[in-house]
Amino acid sequence: MTDRRQFIHALAALAAPAALVPRAVQAQSAPPVKQLTLVVPFPAGGATDAVARLLAEHALRGAYAENVVVENRAGAGGRIGVEYVKQRPADGATLLYTPAFPIAIFPHIYRRLPYDAMADFVPVAASAKGMLGLAVGPAVPATVTKLADFVAWCKANPSKSNFGTGSGSGQHFAGVTFAHAAGFDLRLVPYKGGAPAVVDLLGGHISSTVSPLPEIMPHAAEGKLRILAVTGRQRSRFLPQEPTMVELGYPDIVFQDWSGVLAPAKTTPELVARANAAISTYVRSDKGVEALAKVGTEADAQNVPEFAATVKASWERYREIVKATGFTADD
């Protein structure tokens, strides 16, 4: 009887999901995937792409896959890359790295979307969370150094009152809700990604941008841009001198969304758990925290159920925000 019980317990241990297997054992076993493609649905050079490459090289390579390739499939504001991952086999060989908005916002603004954000993907792992910054460039007079100055300038120059970012993104809705709260019109100039918007901001082609901090901090440090406010509930530890929108009298302008990895639906729990363990271990490590900090991003590790709850909560929050603005995107 004792031998039989031991045999049953041994079988149960072998069948345990990867999340329950000690990391030391996981580390000693071969990676479950030979070649992983980590799809970024935006152009190279932006904040999302930078973090994806950190995860590919330092988290997923070796622990999850023998080799990892980052593939930028930009277009349609991120929809092309997201749909591509949806259509891939659920064998763990293709994962999506994305900020929140293609999953949490697009379902509420497009009448026709080529994927179901809640049904076609399984959340794998969070990696980072980052607030946004409102920055102005050379198209705005150098005397505009505070958010109140920018509001006054936009009201006095309505034809120049604009901001560039991805249409339907969290950045988009942060800008729109801020302008509505401040009582002026801030016209959206849509871009395919954050990097091209910042290039045009530096060139004086647009007046401002609402962007992830990693995309604007280096230029602000060189004096080429001025960051007037950030969208966290508290000040960013990377920019402690810059006030939050909340401090400046806009209590509802809090945008600090997740970025993370998702897999095609029906990817096995074992593969999901293995990828989560690889990413979370790196994100929690001193090396990971330091690397993410260098690009202005806060590390954010969550287990699979926690990240799934985060994704669902963001989907519900943006449903209300979109409803309040009345915005719909062109198909």
Side-chain angles (χ1 to χ4, degrees):
M1 181 65 70
T2 300
D3 290 343
R4 183 172 181 273
R5 287 175 179 173
Q6 290 175 341
F7 178 71
I8 291 172
H9 289 319
L11 285 179
L14 289 172
L20 301 179
V21 179
R23 287 178 182 166
V25 175
Q26 290 189 35
Q28 293 171 3
S29 60
V33 174
K34 288 188 177 296
Q35 173 82 27
L36 168 65
T37 300
L38 186 61
V39 175
V40 177
F42 301 99
T48 300
D49 179 68
V51 177
R53 292 178 188 279
L54 286 174
L55 298 181
E57 182 63 28
H58 301 292
L60 293 164
R61 188 188 306 277
Y64 178 78
E66 292 181 10
N67 189 42
V68 185
V69 175
V70 174
E71 184 174 327
N72 298 90
R73 284 187 169 263
R79 286 173 287 162
I80 288 177
V82 176
E83 181 186 13
Y84 173 79
V85 174
K86 166 200 166 179
Q87 295 173 339
R88 304 306 297 164
D91 58 3
T94 306
L95 300 176
L96 173 71
Y97 184 76
T98 183
F101 64 85
I103 301 299
I105 299 179
F106 283 4
H108 309 304
I109 64 175
Y110 286 101
R111 288 184 293 273
R112 291 185 295 272
L113 197 63
Y115 56 86
D116 183 324
M118 293 294 103
D120 291 335
F121 303 95
V122 55
V124 174
S127 64
K129 60 181 178 181
M131 64 184 73
L132 311 172
L134 189 153
V136 297
V140 176
T143 53
V144 175
T145 60
K146 297 180 180 179
L147 191 66
D149 299 336
F150 179 63
V151 172
W153 181 81
C154 286
K155 289 181 177 179
N157 299 272
S159 64
K160 300 178 182 178
S161 176
N162 60 49
F163 76 113
T165 195
S167 178
S169 64
Q171 298 94 291
H172 172 187
F173 286 100
V176 168
T177 54
F178 158 65
H180 178 76
F184 72 102
D185 291 326
L186 189 64
R187 180 172 59 87
L188 172 69
V189 181
Y191 286 86
K192 292 182 179 180
V198 172
V199 169
D200 274 6
L201 181 65
L202 291 166
H205 303 296
I206 56 176
S207 300
S208 68
T209 185
V210 177
S211 296
L213 294 185
E215 294 177 357
I216 53 179
M217 281 172 47
H219 306 293
E222 295 173 358
K224 297 177 180 178
L225 301 178
R226 286 155 281 157
I227 300 174
L228 305 183
V230 297
T231 64
R233 193 167 295 281
Q234 298 177 333
R235 293 191 182 198
S236 167
R237 68 184 180 98
F238 307 118
L239 292 171
Q241 73 278 12
E242 303 300 343
T244 66
M245 292 275 191
V246 174
E247 287 179 68
L248 298 175
Y250 303 98
D252 295 328
I253 313 302
V254 178
F255 289 78
Q256 194 166 10
D257 287 334
W258 56 267
S259 291
V261 174
L262 296 94
K266 297 184 181 180
T267 300
T268 66
E270 291 78 13
L271 285 171
V272 170
R274 182 70 174 252
N276 179 280
I279 293 167
S280 298
T281 297
Y282 174 71
V283 170
R284 290 190 182 100
S285 70
D286 292 342
K287 181 180 177 181
V289 170
E290 181 181 358
L292 291 169
K294 285 182 178 178
V295 295
T297 301
E298 293 278 3
D300 182 30
Q302 301 180 35
N303 63 33
V304 175
E306 288 171 343
F307 184 46
T310 295
V311 172
K312 178 64 173 173
S314 67
W315 186 93
E316 293 174 345
R317 175 176 183 253
Y318 277 109
R319 177 177 58 185
E320 299 307 314
I321 291 174
V322 170
K323 183 178 180 180
T325 63
F327 176 80
T328 57
D330 295 332
D331 292 319

